Structures are given as structure tokens and as C-alpha cells.
Amino acid sequence: MSEPFEPPRASPRVDIRLPARLHTDHSVVDVETVNLSVDGLLVRGDNLDAATPHDIEIDLHDMGWQRIPARVVRTSDGGEHLAAMFADAASSGKREAIQAFLKRYVG
């Protein structure tokens, strides 16, 4: 049986562990990134199937914490992982900061 076709991503993902926070309407949830791109990320944490963040904050080392509007794409069974896409409105240098970070630290 052949593998399912996945179209190429507009922005490649980079496997990287960074502290992050999910900002929901009622709480802030500490998580860790699994991978990151300029368009979105995958995070690991506890009970993430109940989390509905509207912003995600990522610690980009010397570039500081960057808070970016995002929407959930999916969560894993058991709620250990959450995938999110950064909102189109994520501007004001946020995507550029992620791109500069990835270029500087990952190559």
C-alpha cells in the first residue's frame, strides 16, 4: 500500500524544544515546543485536548518571549500534543522574529 500524499509545506518544520505558553480565555498553560515553523508549531503538554488557545507565547532565547495569535489545527488522542497555525493577523514582526530565530539557531 502506498503512503498517503502530503503536499509540501510552505514553511518547513524544525524540530526544536523551547518553553512556550498557551493563552486561553481563562488560563495560561505551560508547554514545550516539539517543532516550529514560521506558520505554526506542535507543542507537548498535559491535557491539551481541553485547551483552546487564542495566543501562543514562545521563548526565542535572546529574542525574548513572542506572543502570537494562533488557532488549533488538531490535538492528539490523550491530549499530549497540540498543533496550531499562526493566525494571518500575526504580524508586527512576530513571524519575522521566528524566521530570524530559526535562521540564527538552526541554520
mmCIF file with all atom_site columns, all heavy atoms in Angstrom, residues 22 31-32 34-35 41-45 47-53 56 70-76 79-85:
data_model
loop_
_atom_site.group_PDB
_atom_site.id
_atom_site.type_symbol
_atom_site.label_atom_id
_atom_site.label_alt_id
_atom_site.label_comp_id
_atom_site.label_asym_id
_atom_site.label_entity_id
_atom_site.label_seq_id
_atom_site.pdbx_PDB_ins_code
_atom_site.Cartn_x
_atom_site.Cartn_y
_atom_site.Cartn_z
_atom_site.occupancy
_atom_site.B_iso_or_equiv
_atom_site.pdbx_formal_charge
_atom_site.auth_seq_id
_atom_site.auth_comp_id
_atom_site.auth_asym_id
_atom_site.auth_atom_id
_atom_site.pdbx_PDB_model_num
ATOM 1   N N   . LEU A 1 22 ? 0.383   28.509 26.285 1.00 0.00 ? 22 LEU A N   1
ATOM 2   C CA  . LEU A 1 22 ? -0.880  28.663 25.570 1.00 0.00 ? 22 LEU A CA  1
ATOM 3   C C   . LEU A 1 22 ? -1.751  29.606 26.381 1.00 0.00 ? 22 LEU A C   1
ATOM 4   O O   . LEU A 1 22 ? -2.005  29.359 27.556 1.00 0.00 ? 22 LEU A O   1
ATOM 5   C CB  . LEU A 1 22 ? -1.587  27.311 25.425 1.00 0.00 ? 22 LEU A CB  1
ATOM 6   C CG  . LEU A 1 22 ? -0.794  26.166 24.809 1.00 0.00 ? 22 LEU A CG  1
ATOM 7   C CD1 . LEU A 1 22 ? -1.653  24.904 24.766 1.00 0.00 ? 22 LEU A CD1 1
ATOM 8   C CD2 . LEU A 1 22 ? -0.304  26.527 23.428 1.00 0.00 ? 22 LEU A CD2 1
ATOM 9   N N   . VAL A 1 31 ? 3.793   24.761 28.212 1.00 0.00 ? 31 VAL A N   1
ATOM 10  C CA  . VAL A 1 31 ? 4.042   23.640 27.310 1.00 0.00 ? 31 VAL A CA  1
ATOM 11  C C   . VAL A 1 31 ? 5.473   23.747 26.796 1.00 0.00 ? 31 VAL A C   1
ATOM 12  O O   . VAL A 1 31 ? 6.204   24.673 27.149 1.00 0.00 ? 31 VAL A O   1
ATOM 13  C CB  . VAL A 1 31 ? 3.046   23.632 26.129 1.00 0.00 ? 31 VAL A CB  1
ATOM 14  C CG1 . VAL A 1 31 ? 1.631   23.362 26.601 1.00 0.00 ? 31 VAL A CG1 1
ATOM 15  C CG2 . VAL A 1 31 ? 3.108   24.933 25.342 1.00 0.00 ? 31 VAL A CG2 1
ATOM 16  N N   . GLU A 1 32 ? 5.852   22.808 25.926 1.00 0.00 ? 32 GLU A N   1
ATOM 17  C CA  . GLU A 1 32 ? 7.159   22.821 25.274 1.00 0.00 ? 32 GLU A CA  1
ATOM 18  C C   . GLU A 1 32 ? 6.950   22.562 23.790 1.00 0.00 ? 32 GLU A C   1
ATOM 19  O O   . GLU A 1 32 ? 6.152   21.696 23.414 1.00 0.00 ? 32 GLU A O   1
ATOM 20  C CB  . GLU A 1 32 ? 8.042   21.726 25.879 1.00 0.00 ? 32 GLU A CB  1
ATOM 21  C CG  . GLU A 1 32 ? 9.403   21.619 25.236 1.00 0.00 ? 32 GLU A CG  1
ATOM 22  C CD  . GLU A 1 32 ? 10.213  20.466 25.800 1.00 0.00 ? 32 GLU A CD  1
ATOM 23  O OE1 . GLU A 1 32 ? 9.761   19.306 25.707 1.00 0.00 ? 32 GLU A OE1 1
ATOM 24  O OE2 . GLU A 1 32 ? 11.291  20.739 26.325 1.00 0.00 ? 32 GLU A OE2 1
ATOM 25  N N   . VAL A 1 34 ? 7.626   21.055 20.157 1.00 0.00 ? 34 VAL A N   1
ATOM 26  C CA  . VAL A 1 34 ? 8.204   19.849 19.569 1.00 0.00 ? 34 VAL A CA  1
ATOM 27  C C   . VAL A 1 34 ? 8.845   20.239 18.244 1.00 0.00 ? 34 VAL A C   1
ATOM 28  O O   . VAL A 1 34 ? 9.943   19.831 17.925 1.00 0.00 ? 34 VAL A O   1
ATOM 29  C CB  . VAL A 1 34 ? 7.124   18.762 19.342 1.00 0.00 ? 34 VAL A CB  1
ATOM 30  C CG1 . VAL A 1 34 ? 7.693   17.570 18.590 1.00 0.00 ? 34 VAL A CG1 1
ATOM 31  C CG2 . VAL A 1 34 ? 6.511   18.343 20.673 1.00 0.00 ? 34 VAL A CG2 1
ATOM 32  N N   . ASN A 1 35 ? 8.111   21.071 17.485 1.00 0.00 ? 35 ASN A N   1
ATOM 33  C CA  . ASN A 1 35 ? 8.666   21.623 16.260 1.00 0.00 ? 35 ASN A CA  1
ATOM 34  C C   . ASN A 1 35 ? 8.057   22.992 16.006 1.00 0.00 ? 35 ASN A C   1
ATOM 35  O O   . ASN A 1 35 ? 7.047   23.365 16.597 1.00 0.00 ? 35 ASN A O   1
ATOM 36  C CB  . ASN A 1 35 ? 8.522   20.675 15.065 1.00 0.00 ? 35 ASN A CB  1
ATOM 37  C CG  . ASN A 1 35 ? 7.090   20.371 14.713 1.00 0.00 ? 35 ASN A CG  1
ATOM 38  O OD1 . ASN A 1 35 ? 6.249   21.252 14.635 1.00 0.00 ? 35 ASN A OD1 1
ATOM 39  N ND2 . ASN A 1 35 ? 6.804   19.104 14.481 1.00 0.00 ? 35 ASN A ND2 1
ATOM 40  N N   . LEU A 1 41 ? 3.222   25.530 14.839 1.00 0.00 ? 41 LEU A N   1
ATOM 41  C CA  . LEU A 1 41 ? 4.055   24.727 15.717 1.00 0.00 ? 41 LEU A CA  1
ATOM 42  C C   . LEU A 1 41 ? 3.289   23.541 16.263 1.00 0.00 ? 41 LEU A C   1
ATOM 43  O O   . LEU A 1 41 ? 2.068   23.471 16.151 1.00 0.00 ? 41 LEU A O   1
ATOM 44  C CB  . LEU A 1 41 ? 4.593   25.565 16.873 1.00 0.00 ? 41 LEU A CB  1
ATOM 45  C CG  . LEU A 1 41 ? 3.655   25.886 18.032 1.00 0.00 ? 41 LEU A CG  1
ATOM 46  C CD1 . LEU A 1 41 ? 4.433   26.522 19.162 1.00 0.00 ? 41 LEU A CD1 1
ATOM 47  C CD2 . LEU A 1 41 ? 2.537   26.800 17.630 1.00 0.00 ? 41 LEU A CD2 1
ATOM 48  N N   . LEU A 1 42 ? 4.043   22.618 16.844 1.00 0.00 ? 42 LEU A N   1
ATOM 49  C CA  . LEU A 1 42 ? 3.494   21.491 17.574 1.00 0.00 ? 42 LEU A CA  1
ATOM 50  C C   . LEU A 1 42 ? 4.065   21.590 18.975 1.00 0.00 ? 42 LEU A C   1
ATOM 51  O O   . LEU A 1 42 ? 5.277   21.801 19.136 1.00 0.00 ? 42 LEU A O   1
ATOM 52  C CB  . LEU A 1 42 ? 3.914   20.166 16.922 1.00 0.00 ? 42 LEU A CB  1
ATOM 53  C CG  . LEU A 1 42 ? 3.447   18.890 17.611 1.00 0.00 ? 42 LEU A CG  1
ATOM 54  C CD1 . LEU A 1 42 ? 1.929   18.745 17.514 1.00 0.00 ? 42 LEU A CD1 1
ATOM 55  C CD2 . LEU A 1 42 ? 4.137   17.670 17.008 1.00 0.00 ? 42 LEU A CD2 1
ATOM 56  N N   . VAL A 1 43 ? 3.188   21.484 19.986 1.00 0.00 ? 43 VAL A N   1
ATOM 57  C CA  . VAL A 1 43 ? 3.636   21.556 21.377 1.00 0.00 ? 43 VAL A CA  1
ATOM 58  C C   . VAL A 1 43 ? 3.255   20.287 22.120 1.00 0.00 ? 43 VAL A C   1
ATOM 59  O O   . VAL A 1 43 ? 2.347   19.559 21.720 1.00 0.00 ? 43 VAL A O   1
ATOM 60  C CB  . VAL A 1 43 ? 3.074   22.788 22.125 1.00 0.00 ? 43 VAL A CB  1
ATOM 61  C CG1 . VAL A 1 43 ? 3.570   24.081 21.497 1.00 0.00 ? 43 VAL A CG1 1
ATOM 62  C CG2 . VAL A 1 43 ? 1.562   22.762 22.194 1.00 0.00 ? 43 VAL A CG2 1
ATOM 63  N N   . ARG A 1 44 ? 3.970   20.049 23.228 1.00 0.00 ? 44 ARG A N   1
ATOM 64  C CA  . ARG A 1 44 ? 3.720   18.907 24.100 1.00 0.00 ? 44 ARG A CA  1
ATOM 65  C C   . ARG A 1 44 ? 3.375   19.446 25.489 1.00 0.00 ? 44 ARG A C   1
ATOM 66  O O   . ARG A 1 44 ? 3.995   20.387 25.967 1.00 0.00 ? 44 ARG A O   1
ATOM 67  C CB  . ARG A 1 44 ? 4.960   18.034 24.192 1.00 0.00 ? 44 ARG A CB  1
ATOM 68  C CG  . ARG A 1 44 ? 4.826   16.868 25.157 1.00 0.00 ? 44 ARG A CG  1
ATOM 69  C CD  . ARG A 1 44 ? 6.102   16.052 25.286 1.00 0.00 ? 44 ARG A CD  1
ATOM 70  N NE  . ARG A 1 44 ? 6.450   15.472 23.991 1.00 0.00 ? 44 ARG A NE  1
ATOM 71  C CZ  . ARG A 1 44 ? 7.643   15.605 23.392 1.00 0.00 ? 44 ARG A CZ  1
ATOM 72  N NH1 . ARG A 1 44 ? 8.593   16.284 23.961 1.00 0.00 ? 44 ARG A NH1 1
ATOM 73  N NH2 . ARG A 1 44 ? 7.861   15.047 22.232 1.00 0.00 ? 44 ARG A NH2 1
ATOM 74  N N   . GLY A 1 45 ? 2.366   18.820 26.110 1.00 0.00 ? 45 GLY A N   1
ATOM 75  C CA  . GLY A 1 45 ? 1.971   19.201 27.459 1.00 0.00 ? 45 GLY A CA  1
ATOM 76  C C   . GLY A 1 45 ? 0.986   18.188 28.014 1.00 0.00 ? 45 GLY A C   1
ATOM 77  O O   . GLY A 1 45 ? 0.874   17.077 27.507 1.00 0.00 ? 45 GLY A O   1
ATOM 78  N N   . ASN A 1 47 ? -3.020  17.264 29.104 1.00 0.00 ? 47 ASN A N   1
ATOM 79  C CA  . ASN A 1 47 ? -4.445  17.558 28.921 1.00 0.00 ? 47 ASN A CA  1
ATOM 80  C C   . ASN A 1 47 ? -4.702  18.688 27.929 1.00 0.00 ? 47 ASN A C   1
ATOM 81  O O   . ASN A 1 47 ? -5.540  19.552 28.167 1.00 0.00 ? 47 ASN A O   1
ATOM 82  C CB  . ASN A 1 47 ? -5.102  17.893 30.271 1.00 0.00 ? 47 ASN A CB  1
ATOM 83  C CG  . ASN A 1 47 ? -4.971  16.748 31.247 1.00 0.00 ? 47 ASN A CG  1
ATOM 84  O OD1 . ASN A 1 47 ? -5.174  15.592 30.888 1.00 0.00 ? 47 ASN A OD1 1
ATOM 85  N ND2 . ASN A 1 47 ? -4.618  17.079 32.470 1.00 0.00 ? 47 ASN A ND2 1
ATOM 86  N N   . LEU A 1 48 ? -3.997  18.682 26.821 1.00 0.00 ? 48 LEU A N   1
ATOM 87  C CA  . LEU A 1 48 ? -4.136  19.756 25.841 1.00 0.00 ? 48 LEU A CA  1
ATOM 88  C C   . LEU A 1 48 ? -5.391  19.634 24.998 1.00 0.00 ? 48 LEU A C   1
ATOM 89  O O   . LEU A 1 48 ? -5.763  20.576 24.308 1.00 0.00 ? 48 LEU A O   1
ATOM 90  C CB  . LEU A 1 48 ? -2.893  19.820 24.942 1.00 0.00 ? 48 LEU A CB  1
ATOM 91  C CG  . LEU A 1 48 ? -1.592  20.128 25.673 1.00 0.00 ? 48 LEU A CG  1
ATOM 92  C CD1 . LEU A 1 48 ? -0.443  20.171 24.682 1.00 0.00 ? 48 LEU A CD1 1
ATOM 93  C CD2 . LEU A 1 48 ? -1.687  21.432 26.444 1.00 0.00 ? 48 LEU A CD2 1
ATOM 94  N N   . ASP A 1 49 ? -6.075  18.481 25.063 1.00 0.00 ? 49 ASP A N   1
ATOM 95  C CA  . ASP A 1 49 ? -7.309  18.338 24.288 1.00 0.00 ? 49 ASP A CA  1
ATOM 96  C C   . ASP A 1 49 ? -8.388  19.283 24.785 1.00 0.00 ? 49 ASP A C   1
ATOM 97  O O   . ASP A 1 49 ? -9.322  19.610 24.064 1.00 0.00 ? 49 ASP A O   1
ATOM 98  C CB  . ASP A 1 49 ? -7.800  16.891 24.280 1.00 0.00 ? 49 ASP A CB  1
ATOM 99  C CG  . ASP A 1 49 ? -7.881  16.278 25.660 1.00 0.00 ? 49 ASP A CG  1
ATOM 100 O OD1 . ASP A 1 49 ? -7.401  16.881 26.631 1.00 0.00 ? 49 ASP A OD1 1
ATOM 101 O OD2 . ASP A 1 49 ? -8.427  15.171 25.758 1.00 0.00 ? 49 ASP A OD2 1
ATOM 102 N N   . ALA A 1 50 ? -8.265  19.783 26.020 1.00 0.00 ? 50 ALA A N   1
ATOM 103 C CA  . ALA A 1 50 ? -9.243  20.723 26.563 1.00 0.00 ? 50 ALA A CA  1
ATOM 104 C C   . ALA A 1 50 ? -8.830  22.178 26.342 1.00 0.00 ? 50 ALA A C   1
ATOM 105 O O   . ALA A 1 50 ? -9.610  23.092 26.563 1.00 0.00 ? 50 ALA A O   1
ATOM 106 C CB  . ALA A 1 50 ? -9.438  20.472 28.056 1.00 0.00 ? 50 ALA A CB  1
ATOM 107 N N   . ALA A 1 51 ? -7.604  22.407 25.901 1.00 0.00 ? 51 ALA A N   1
ATOM 108 C CA  . ALA A 1 51 ? -7.098  23.774 25.718 1.00 0.00 ? 51 ALA A CA  1
ATOM 109 C C   . ALA A 1 51 ? -7.560  24.352 24.388 1.00 0.00 ? 51 ALA A C   1
ATOM 110 O O   . ALA A 1 51 ? -7.520  23.683 23.364 1.00 0.00 ? 51 ALA A O   1
ATOM 111 C CB  . ALA A 1 51 ? -5.576  23.785 25.786 1.00 0.00 ? 51 ALA A CB  1
ATOM 112 N N   . THR A 1 52 ? -8.006  25.588 24.421 1.00 0.00 ? 52 THR A N   1
ATOM 113 C CA  . THR A 1 52 ? -8.368  26.316 23.204 1.00 0.00 ? 52 THR A CA  1
ATOM 114 C C   . THR A 1 52 ? -7.662  27.670 23.243 1.00 0.00 ? 52 THR A C   1
ATOM 115 O O   . THR A 1 52 ? -8.247  28.680 23.607 1.00 0.00 ? 52 THR A O   1
ATOM 116 C CB  . THR A 1 52 ? -9.892  26.510 23.097 1.00 0.00 ? 52 THR A CB  1
ATOM 117 O OG1 . THR A 1 52 ? -10.525 25.242 23.244 1.00 0.00 ? 52 THR A OG1 1
ATOM 118 C CG2 . THR A 1 52 ? -10.274 27.100 21.758 1.00 0.00 ? 52 THR A CG2 1
ATOM 119 N N   . PRO A 1 53 ? -6.384  27.670 22.883 1.00 0.00 ? 53 PRO A N   1
ATOM 120 C CA  . PRO A 1 53 ? -5.643  28.930 22.963 1.00 0.00 ? 53 PRO A CA  1
ATOM 121 C C   . PRO A 1 53 ? -6.041  29.899 21.867 1.00 0.00 ? 53 PRO A C   1
ATOM 122 O O   . PRO A 1 53 ? -6.441  29.501 20.779 1.00 0.00 ? 53 PRO A O   1
ATOM 123 C CB  . PRO A 1 53 ? -4.191  28.495 22.792 1.00 0.00 ? 53 PRO A CB  1
ATOM 124 C CG  . PRO A 1 53 ? -4.273  27.252 21.976 1.00 0.00 ? 53 PRO A CG  1
ATOM 125 C CD  . PRO A 1 53 ? -5.553  26.573 22.406 1.00 0.00 ? 53 PRO A CD  1
ATOM 126 N N   . ILE A 1 56 ? -0.325  32.053 21.420 1.00 0.00 ? 56 ILE A N   1
ATOM 127 C CA  . ILE A 1 56 ? 0.750   31.181 21.866 1.00 0.00 ? 56 ILE A CA  1
ATOM 128 C C   . ILE A 1 56 ? 1.978   32.052 22.049 1.00 0.00 ? 56 ILE A C   1
ATOM 129 O O   . ILE A 1 56 ? 2.290   32.890 21.198 1.00 0.00 ? 56 ILE A O   1
ATOM 130 C CB  . ILE A 1 56 ? 1.029   30.060 20.848 1.00 0.00 ? 56 ILE A CB  1
ATOM 131 C CG1 . ILE A 1 56 ? -0.204  29.157 20.741 1.00 0.00 ? 56 ILE A CG1 1
ATOM 132 C CG2 . ILE A 1 56 ? 2.262   29.263 21.252 1.00 0.00 ? 56 ILE A CG2 1
ATOM 133 C CD1 . ILE A 1 56 ? -0.094  28.046 19.740 1.00 0.00 ? 56 ILE A CD1 1
ATOM 134 N N   . ALA A 1 70 ? -3.042  32.543 17.317 1.00 0.00 ? 70 ALA A N   1
ATOM 135 C CA  . ALA A 1 70 ? -2.995  31.226 16.673 1.00 0.00 ? 70 ALA A CA  1
ATOM 136 C C   . ALA A 1 70 ? -4.348  30.538 16.771 1.00 0.00 ? 70 ALA A C   1
ATOM 137 O O   . ALA A 1 70 ? -5.200  30.924 17.563 1.00 0.00 ? 70 ALA A O   1
ATOM 138 C CB  . ALA A 1 70 ? -1.921  30.367 17.334 1.00 0.00 ? 70 ALA A CB  1
ATOM 139 N N   . ARG A 1 71 ? -4.507  29.497 15.934 1.00 0.00 ? 71 ARG A N   1
ATOM 140 C CA  . ARG A 1 71 ? -5.709  28.669 16.018 1.00 0.00 ? 71 ARG A CA  1
ATOM 141 C C   . ARG A 1 71 ? -5.285  27.203 16.044 1.00 0.00 ? 71 ARG A C   1
ATOM 142 O O   . ARG A 1 71 ? -4.313  26.809 15.395 1.00 0.00 ? 71 ARG A O   1
ATOM 143 C CB  . ARG A 1 71 ? -6.672  28.941 14.872 1.00 0.00 ? 71 ARG A CB  1
ATOM 144 C CG  . ARG A 1 71 ? -6.173  28.529 13.527 1.00 0.00 ? 71 ARG A CG  1
ATOM 145 C CD  . ARG A 1 71 ? -7.227  28.748 12.439 1.00 0.00 ? 71 ARG A CD  1
ATOM 146 N NE  . ARG A 1 71 ? -6.704  28.448 11.140 1.00 0.00 ? 71 ARG A NE  1
ATOM 147 C CZ  . ARG A 1 71 ? -6.568  27.221 10.631 1.00 0.00 ? 71 ARG A CZ  1
ATOM 148 N NH1 . ARG A 1 71 ? -6.940  26.181 11.325 1.00 0.00 ? 71 ARG A NH1 1
ATOM 149 N NH2 . ARG A 1 71 ? -6.062  27.038 9.426  1.00 0.00 ? 71 ARG A NH2 1
ATOM 150 N N   . VAL A 1 72 ? -6.018  26.414 16.803 1.00 0.00 ? 72 VAL A N   1
ATOM 151 C CA  . VAL A 1 72 ? -5.712  24.990 16.941 1.00 0.00 ? 72 VAL A CA  1
ATOM 152 C C   . VAL A 1 72 ? -6.099  24.271 15.647 1.00 0.00 ? 72 VAL A C   1
ATOM 153 O O   . VAL A 1 72 ? -7.196  24.459 15.129 1.00 0.00 ? 72 VAL A O   1
ATOM 154 C CB  . VAL A 1 72 ? -6.468  24.377 18.136 1.00 0.00 ? 72 VAL A CB  1
ATOM 155 C CG1 . VAL A 1 72 ? -6.259  22.864 18.204 1.00 0.00 ? 72 VAL A CG1 1
ATOM 156 C CG2 . VAL A 1 72 ? -6.039  25.040 19.430 1.00 0.00 ? 72 VAL A CG2 1
ATOM 157 N N   . VAL A 1 73 ? -5.186  23.439 15.159 1.00 0.00 ? 73 VAL A N   1
ATOM 158 C CA  . VAL A 1 73 ? -5.441  22.625 13.980 1.00 0.00 ? 73 VAL A CA  1
ATOM 159 C C   . VAL A 1 73 ? -5.897  21.237 14.414 1.00 0.00 ? 73 VAL A C   1
ATOM 160 O O   . VAL A 1 73 ? -6.827  20.674 13.860 1.00 0.00 ? 73 VAL A O   1
ATOM 161 C CB  . VAL A 1 73 ? -4.184  22.534 13.087 1.00 0.00 ? 73 VAL A CB  1
ATOM 162 C CG1 . VAL A 1 73 ? -4.410  21.610 11.913 1.00 0.00 ? 73 VAL A CG1 1
ATOM 163 C CG2 . VAL A 1 73 ? -3.758  23.906 12.635 1.00 0.00 ? 73 VAL A CG2 1
ATOM 164 N N   . ARG A 1 74 ? -5.216  20.689 15.437 1.00 0.00 ? 74 ARG A N   1
ATOM 165 C CA  . ARG A 1 74 ? -5.606  19.372 15.951 1.00 0.00 ? 74 ARG A CA  1
ATOM 166 C C   . ARG A 1 74 ? -4.939  19.136 17.304 1.00 0.00 ? 74 ARG A C   1
ATOM 167 O O   . ARG A 1 74 ? -3.954  19.779 17.640 1.00 0.00 ? 74 ARG A O   1
ATOM 168 C CB  . ARG A 1 74 ? -5.244  18.263 14.989 1.00 0.00 ? 74 ARG A CB  1
ATOM 169 C CG  . ARG A 1 74 ? -3.769  18.007 14.851 1.00 0.00 ? 74 ARG A CG  1
ATOM 170 C CD  . ARG A 1 74 ? -3.489  16.842 13.896 1.00 0.00 ? 74 ARG A CD  1
ATOM 171 N NE  . ARG A 1 74 ? -2.075  16.577 13.823 1.00 0.00 ? 74 ARG A NE  1
ATOM 172 C CZ  . ARG A 1 74 ? -1.196  17.272 13.117 1.00 0.00 ? 74 ARG A CZ  1
ATOM 173 N NH1 . ARG A 1 74 ? -1.604  18.296 12.412 1.00 0.00 ? 74 ARG A NH1 1
ATOM 174 N NH2 . ARG A 1 74 ? 0.078   16.945 13.106 1.00 0.00 ? 74 ARG A NH2 1
ATOM 175 N N   . THR A 1 75 ? -5.495  18.180 18.041 1.00 0.00 ? 75 THR A N   1
ATOM 176 C CA  . THR A 1 75 ? -4.875  17.677 19.259 1.00 0.00 ? 75 THR A CA  1
ATOM 177 C C   . THR A 1 75 ? -4.780  16.163 19.129 1.00 0.00 ? 75 THR A C   1
ATOM 178 O O   . THR A 1 75 ? -5.566  15.545 18.414 1.00 0.00 ? 75 THR A O   1
ATOM 179 C CB  . THR A 1 75 ? -5.682  18.040 20.529 1.00 0.00 ? 75 THR A CB  1
ATOM 180 O OG1 . THR A 1 75 ? -7.002  17.522 20.400 1.00 0.00 ? 75 THR A OG1 1
ATOM 181 C CG2 . THR A 1 75 ? -5.732  19.537 20.738 1.00 0.00 ? 75 THR A CG2 1
ATOM 182 N N   . SER A 1 76 ? -3.820  15.574 19.828 1.00 0.00 ? 76 SER A N   1
ATOM 183 C CA  . SER A 1 76 ? -3.655  14.129 19.767 1.00 0.00 ? 76 SER A CA  1
ATOM 184 C C   . SER A 1 76 ? -4.609  13.459 20.741 1.00 0.00 ? 76 SER A C   1
ATOM 185 O O   . SER A 1 76 ? -5.083  14.074 21.693 1.00 0.00 ? 76 SER A O   1
ATOM 186 C CB  . SER A 1 76 ? -2.220  13.745 20.103 1.00 0.00 ? 76 SER A CB  1
ATOM 187 O OG  . SER A 1 76 ? -1.919  14.098 21.437 1.00 0.00 ? 76 SER A OG  1
ATOM 188 N N   . GLY A 1 79 ? -4.494  14.017 24.520 1.00 0.00 ? 79 GLY A N   1
ATOM 189 C CA  . GLY A 1 79 ? -4.198  15.413 24.794 1.00 0.00 ? 79 GLY A CA  1
ATOM 190 C C   . GLY A 1 79 ? -2.756  15.747 25.101 1.00 0.00 ? 79 GLY A C   1
ATOM 191 O O   . GLY A 1 79 ? -2.464  16.778 25.697 1.00 0.00 ? 79 GLY A O   1
ATOM 192 N N   . GLU A 1 80 ? -1.817  14.919 24.656 1.00 0.00 ? 80 GLU A N   1
ATOM 193 C CA  . GLU A 1 80 ? -0.406  15.197 24.921 1.00 0.00 ? 80 GLU A CA  1
ATOM 194 C C   . GLU A 1 80 ? 0.186   16.214 23.948 1.00 0.00 ? 80 GLU A C   1
ATOM 195 O O   . GLU A 1 80 ? 1.123   16.932 24.270 1.00 0.00 ? 80 GLU A O   1
ATOM 196 C CB  . GLU A 1 80 ? 0.408   13.903 24.862 1.00 0.00 ? 80 GLU A CB  1
ATOM 197 C CG  . GLU A 1 80 ? 1.867   14.096 25.197 1.00 0.00 ? 80 GLU A CG  1
ATOM 198 C CD  . GLU A 1 80 ? 2.679   12.813 25.123 1.00 0.00 ? 80 GLU A CD  1
ATOM 199 O OE1 . GLU A 1 80 ? 2.102   11.729 24.910 1.00 0.00 ? 80 GLU A OE1 1
ATOM 200 O OE2 . GLU A 1 80 ? 3.901   12.905 25.267 1.00 0.00 ? 80 GLU A OE2 1
ATOM 201 N N   . HIS A 1 81 ? -0.357  16.293 22.716 1.00 0.00 ? 81 HIS A N   1
ATOM 202 C CA  . HIS A 1 81 ? 0.153   17.208 21.694 1.00 0.00 ? 81 HIS A CA  1
ATOM 203 C C   . HIS A 1 81 ? -0.955  18.111 21.166 1.00 0.00 ? 81 HIS A C   1
ATOM 204 O O   . HIS A 1 81 ? -2.107  17.698 21.075 1.00 0.00 ? 81 HIS A O   1
ATOM 205 C CB  . HIS A 1 81 ? 0.759   16.431 20.525 1.00 0.00 ? 81 HIS A CB  1
ATOM 206 C CG  . HIS A 1 81 ? 1.987   15.681 20.897 1.00 0.00 ? 81 HIS A CG  1
ATOM 207 N ND1 . HIS A 1 81 ? 1.949   14.362 21.296 1.00 0.00 ? 81 HIS A ND1 1
ATOM 208 C CD2 . HIS A 1 81 ? 3.280   16.056 20.954 1.00 0.00 ? 81 HIS A CD2 1
ATOM 209 C CE1 . HIS A 1 81 ? 3.180   13.955 21.564 1.00 0.00 ? 81 HIS A CE1 1
ATOM 210 N NE2 . HIS A 1 81 ? 4.005   14.968 21.364 1.00 0.00 ? 81 HIS A NE2 1
ATOM 211 N N   . LEU A 1 82 ? -0.557  19.312 20.771 1.00 0.00 ? 82 LEU A N   1
ATOM 212 C CA  . LEU A 1 82 ? -1.476  20.266 20.160 1.00 0.00 ? 82 LEU A CA  1
ATOM 213 C C   . LEU A 1 82 ? -0.739  20.927 19.007 1.00 0.00 ? 82 LEU A C   1
ATOM 214 O O   . LEU A 1 82 ? 0.393   21.390 19.175 1.00 0.00 ? 82 LEU A O   1
ATOM 215 C CB  . LEU A 1 82 ? -1.904  21.317 21.190 1.00 0.00 ? 82 LEU A CB  1
ATOM 216 C CG  . LEU A 1 82 ? -2.857  22.412 20.716 1.00 0.00 ? 82 LEU A CG  1
ATOM 217 C CD1 . LEU A 1 82 ? -3.821  22.773 21.833 1.00 0.00 ? 82 LEU A CD1 1
ATOM 218 C CD2 . LEU A 1 82 ? -2.102  23.646 20.264 1.00 0.00 ? 82 LEU A CD2 1
ATOM 219 N N   . ALA A 1 83 ? -1.356  20.927 17.826 1.00 0.00 ? 83 ALA A N   1
ATOM 220 C CA  . ALA A 1 83 ? -0.796  21.596 16.650 1.00 0.00 ? 83 ALA A CA  1
ATOM 221 C C   . ALA A 1 83 ? -1.593  22.868 16.408 1.00 0.00 ? 83 ALA A C   1
ATOM 222 O O   . ALA A 1 83 ? -2.816  22.863 16.510 1.00 0.00 ? 83 ALA A O   1
ATOM 223 C CB  . ALA A 1 83 ? -0.878  20.682 15.428 1.00 0.00 ? 83 ALA A CB  1
ATOM 224 N N   . ALA A 1 84 ? -0.886  23.949 16.098 1.00 0.00 ? 84 ALA A N   1
ATOM 225 C CA  . ALA A 1 84 ? -1.554  25.230 15.859 1.00 0.00 ? 84 ALA A CA  1
ATOM 226 C C   . ALA A 1 84 ? -0.903  25.945 14.691 1.00 0.00 ? 84 ALA A C   1
ATOM 227 O O   . ALA A 1 84 ? 0.291   25.795 14.439 1.00 0.00 ? 84 ALA A O   1
ATOM 228 C CB  . ALA A 1 84 ? -1.488  26.100 17.106 1.00 0.00 ? 84 ALA A CB  1
ATOM 229 N N   . MET A 1 85 ? -1.727  26.699 13.991 1.00 0.00 ? 85 MET A N   1
ATOM 230 C CA  . MET A 1 85 ? -1.264  27.573 12.914 1.00 0.00 ? 85 MET A CA  1
ATOM 231 C C   . MET A 1 85 ? -1.313  28.994 13.426 1.00 0.00 ? 85 MET A C   1
ATOM 232 O O   . MET A 1 85 ? -2.265  29.373 14.125 1.00 0.00 ? 85 MET A O   1
ATOM 233 C CB  . MET A 1 85 ? -2.187  27.456 11.696 1.00 0.00 ? 85 MET A CB  1
ATOM 234 C CG  . MET A 1 85 ? -2.201  26.101 11.037 1.00 0.00 ? 85 MET A CG  1
ATOM 235 S SD  . MET A 1 85 ? -0.693  25.738 10.136 1.00 0.00 ? 85 MET A SD  1
ATOM 236 C CE  . MET A 1 85 ? -0.734  26.988 8.887  1.00 0.00 ? 85 MET A CE  1
#
